Amino acid sequence: MRISTNTIFETGTNQLGTLQGQIARTQLQLSTNRRILTPSDDPVASARALEVTQSQSVNTQYATNRQNARSSLAHVEQALASTTSLIHDIKTLTVSAGNGTLLPADRQSLTIELKGRLNDLLGVANTADGVGGYLFSGYSAGSAPFTLTEGGADYHGDQGIRKLQVASSRNVAISDSGSSVFENIPTGNGTFQTSAAGANTGGGVVSSGTISDAAALTGHEYKIDFTVSGTPAQTTYTVTDVSRAGETPVPPPVALDVPFESGKQIKFDGVVFDIAGAPANGDVFSVKPSEKQSIFTTLSQLIDTLALPAGGAGQAALTNGLNMAHDNLDAALENVLSVRAGVGASLKELDYLDEAGTDRNIQYAATLSDLQDLDLVKTISLFAQQQMTLEASQKSFKSLSGLSLFNYIG
């Protein structure tokens, strides 16, 4: 069989090119530590690796979101901590205001301090979030949530709670609406509130009261009218259900002409409280369901209370006003602490999600390693074999291409 010189050279160069391509591919695998250089190397593993890589990228984004959420919640926690401190300061000033030995100048000083606390509280409520918005504006983050008014403060935000997705099936609130933190605070003891009429002339001081029988509560408003008559003077009271006043026939009083004793419990329809001191004839006290009130309104009312005259009926009105302020401040503090507890729980959850995300990244990395990484020992051995084969092929081709009959014809 005749083989032309051209065929010898063409076959040799093709074979050398193939061997060089193989060794170049192996060298590229070693340099990248990747078994799969193109999808055609292993279509199934390539598709799976793409899925895992995408999941890994999403997991990394969730980690970034958790970091952003943690930063926002840290701002909220700092603002709530400042609010807690301010409420404690206000409560301390309220206790000081109840001292009967204070002079008008002393009360004026307390009033100035309370006005300062009011402005401080407004500043905290209008805390910025660090990225051009406000923490407590809800979805209306671009505008300040509160502005001071004559009787408290107006809320300009909404009820929205901004959230951030921090895991595949978990969204975490990164802010609270100013309404839920500073406004929707129940008055009194949270179920009902007691108060004294502003026109009272006696020295009666009403307590905040408690619930004696939850099943007996009606949610109605009641009026307690006092009568002082006879010689010696006898004080009695009548309890009327104001909420039923429009019924026909008019229902009888809940209690009629009950003898009054200072400090003795007054109990009806599931509520119990007491009135201390000496109410005057015609004095009126009321019991009605708790309402929602802003802490700014509570503080404004407290400032107005300090302007009441001391001594006699004025002292009783002052005490009643301070007691009401105490109850409302306690409710405001409890509300803020509840919100802080929620923030703390969210921060704790972010820690757990971070741990889970780190574990998931390790799993993804291990899966990608199984799919893509190179068996170095095997590949280095293959590279050495290919190198030896290429060198042998080059030597044989050199020898073969040098053969010629003309070398032997003399």
Side-chain angles (χ1 to χ4, degrees):
M1 181 176 66
R2 291 184 178 183
I3 299 176
S4 66
T5 301
N6 183 54
T7 300
I8 293 174
F9 274 88
E10 184 176 347
T11 302
T13 53
N14 287 341
Q15 185 63 28
L16 288 175
T18 299
L19 293 174
Q20 287 175 335
Q22 291 175 347
I23 197 171
R25 183 179 182 280
T26 303
Q27 192 275 334
L28 184 58
Q29 287 179 321
L30 287 170
S31 63
T32 59
N33 195 31
R34 290 290 182 89
R35 179 178 65 86
I36 302 174
L37 298 177
T38 60
S40 61
D41 293 338
D42 190 338
V44 175
S46 296
R48 177 60 180 151
L50 179 60
E51 293 177 356
V52 174
T53 301
Q54 290 174 338
S55 298
Q56 191 177 42
S57 298
V58 171
N59 191 54
T60 300
Q61 183 59 53
Y62 285 147
T64 302
N65 288 357
R66 286 193 293 272
Q67 184 60 40
N68 293 336
R70 186 176 283 104
S71 177
S72 295
L73 288 174
H75 281 89
V76 174
E77 163 61 22
Q78 184 177 10
L80 294 176
S82 298
T83 302
T84 302
S85 297
L86 284 171
I87 294 176
H88 280 301
D89 288 345
I90 294 168
K91 284 171 61 66
T92 301
L93 292 173
T94 305
V95 172
S96 300
N99 189 339
T101 63
L102 292 181
L103 299 175
D106 299 326
R107 294 192 185 195
Q108 181 64 27
S109 298
L110 288 175
T111 299
I112 293 173
E113 283 195 61
L114 287 173
K115 288 180 178 179
R117 297 297 184 275
L118 176 60
N119 289 323
D120 292 341
L121 191 61
L122 183 72
V124 173
N126 288 334
T127 299
D129 59 9
V131 290
Y134 294 89
L135 287 178
F136 302 112
S137 289
Y139 294 140
S140 305
S143 58
F146 290 98
T147 55
L148 208 59
T149 61
E150 184 67 25
D154 285 339
Y155 181 58
H156 304 290
D158 54 38
Q159 307 304 314
I161 297 177
R162 284 171 282 165
K163 296 183 177 181
L164 194 61
Q165 187 169 2
V166 294
S168 58
S169 58
R170 185 69 179 99
N171 292 327
V172 168
I174 59 174
S175 69
D176 284 279
S177 69
S179 177
S180 64
V181 178
F182 301 98
E183 284 202 312
N184 294 330
I185 302 168
T187 56
N189 58 25
T191 302
F192 65 89
Q193 58 180 333
T194 59
S195 61
N200 285 359
T201 58
V205 176
V206 62
S207 68
S208 56
T210 58
I211 300 172
S212 63
D213 184 0
L217 292 174
T218 63
H220 292 180
E221 180 178 353
Y222 299 88
K223 182 176 66 168
I224 301 94
D225 294 284
F226 279 83
T227 302
V228 181
S229 61
T231 305
Q234 296 291 323
T235 303
T236 61
Y237 64 87
T238 297
V239 180
T240 306
D241 188 340
V242 179
S243 299
R244 299 184 61 189
E247 296 182 8
T248 304
V250 178
V254 176
L256 179 64
D257 292 334
V258 180
F260 170 74
E261 295 181 26
S262 176
K264 183 179 179 180
Q265 286 187 343
I266 300 175
K267 185 177 180 180
F268 56 86
D269 290 351
V271 303
V272 58
F273 60 95
D274 65 76
I275 297 176
N281 184 50
D283 281 359
V284 177
F285 295 83
S286 65
V287 177
K288 60 182 180 179
S290 293
E291 302 170 342
K292 300 296 184 180
Q293 181 170 288
S294 164
I295 187 174
F296 300 105
T297 300
T298 296
L299 191 48
S300 295
Q301 291 176 347
L302 176 58
I303 292 172
D304 292 340
T305 298
L306 290 183
L308 295 174
Q315 184 63 40
L318 175 64
T319 303
N320 283 319
L322 293 178
N323 288 344
M324 183 182 298
H326 270 299
D327 291 339
N328 294 340
L329 288 172
D330 286 339
L333 180 60
E334 183 177 351
N335 184 67
V336 172
L337 292 178
S338 177
V339 175
R340 287 187 70 183
V343 172
S346 295
L347 289 170
K348 188 66 175 178
E349 183 180 5
L350 290 176
D351 290 339
Y352 286 130
L353 291 174
D354 273 342
E355 293 177 4
T358 300
D359 293 341
R360 197 172 292 112
N361 264 337
I362 294 174
Q363 293 174 359
Y364 289 146
T367 302
L368 286 175
S369 178
D370 293 339
L371 292 171
Q372 296 178 325
D373 284 0
L374 201 63
D375 186 338
L376 287 176
V377 175
K378 180 180 178 181
T379 307
I380 290 173
S381 299
L382 177 61
F383 181 79
Q385 180 184 355
Q386 290 173 336
Q387 187 178 29
M388 183 177 63
T389 302
L390 178 60
E391 290 175 354
S393 297
Q394 289 172 337
K395 289 180 181 179
S396 63
F397 177 71
K398 178 181 179 182
S399 299
L400 184 62
S401 62
L403 293 177
S404 174
L405 290 176
F406 292 103
N407 293 335
Y408 302 97
I409 297 176

